[in-house]
Amino acid sequence: MSEHERRVLLGRIVGAFGVRGELKLDSFTEPKAAIFRYQPWTLRDAQGRERSFDGARGRDTPKGVVATLPDVSDRDTAEALRGTEVWVPRSALPPSKPGEYYWIDLEGLRVVNAEGVEFGRVSHLFSTGANDVLVVQGDRERMVPFAMPDYIVSIDFDAQLITVDWDADF
């Protein structure tokens, strides 16, 4: 899948705000209102139906992030979008800074340890609060703390390879 086809989940609509079709958002960006910098949005509901919007606008309020979307002009239409996920193309995000990585860019990379033992491919990452964890699917599932350079030795996007300092039996 090309970078332009990959999408990143940036938030979720949690309900209507007022009577004019505004939406309450749970934004996963930092700062929260930065979600409006990344467009177009693809809204995906629980049944997998998708709808694209360009021109989402909004603001951060004491009660959270509030958005307006083209063609959403009343509370009933806004409320019908409750639970809908907000996705954007990966290409809409700025390049990562040196030493920083978007999780989506790591997904699918091969993982080997310093001894050359093949672990599999990155399935996904998650945060524990203390650190992020790389989940690798291969002959079995391995979870490697995403701590550079302690456990993550190198990331080579050209070779599509992550080298880890991790015992194959662990």
Side-chain angles (χ1 to χ4, degrees):
M1 183 179 291
S2 77
E3 176 177 284
H4 298 288
E5 295 170 328
R6 297 184 91 176
R7 291 187 290 187
V8 179
L9 178 63
L10 288 190
R12 185 171 285 110
I13 297 171
V14 294
F17 183 85
V19 296
R20 296 187 181 150
E22 291 182 305
L23 304 158
K24 290 189 282 187
L25 284 181
D26 181 11
S27 172
F28 306 149
T29 63
E30 194 58 48
K32 298 291 185 188
I35 193 170
F36 300 107
R37 293 182 200 156
Y38 313 113
Q39 309 251 348
W41 286 4
T42 298
L43 301 184
R44 184 185 310 163
D45 67 18
Q47 289 75 39
R49 294 180 300 237
E50 296 183 349
R51 186 171 163 196
S52 291
F53 285 92
D54 206 355
R57 297 185 341 250
R59 64 194 184 282
D60 203 359
T61 73
K63 294 187 176 185
V65 178
V66 175
T68 57
L69 296 176
D71 302 327
V72 178
S73 57
D74 62 72
R75 184 173 182 84
D76 291 339
T77 305
E79 192 57 43
L81 293 172
R82 178 187 294 269
T84 301
E85 298 172 331
V86 177
W87 293 80
V88 299
R90 165 60 182 93
S91 59
L93 301 177
S96 55
K97 296 175 185 168
E100 293 183 1
Y101 305 95
Y102 288 112
W103 287 4
I104 194 167
D105 294 340
L106 301 173
E107 292 172 0
L109 296 184
R110 284 183 31 243
V111 178
V112 299
N113 72 2
E115 290 79 37
V117 176
E118 183 87 24
F119 282 3
R121 294 192 177 272
V122 176
S123 164
H124 62 283
L125 291 96
F126 66 90
S127 181
T128 64
N131 59 276
D132 298 332
V133 176
L134 196 71
V135 179
V136 182
Q137 295 288 340
D139 59 335
R140 62 186 180 93
E141 182 178 83
R142 290 181 173 88
M143 294 185 204
V144 181
F146 194 85
M148 292 183 82
D150 298 332
Y151 304 115
I152 306 297
V153 176
S154 67
I155 300 173
D156 184 342
F157 286 107
D158 292 332
Q160 298 285 290
L161 181 68
I162 298 175
T163 303
V164 297
D165 184 5
W166 198 253
D167 189 303
D169 294 326
F170 192 68

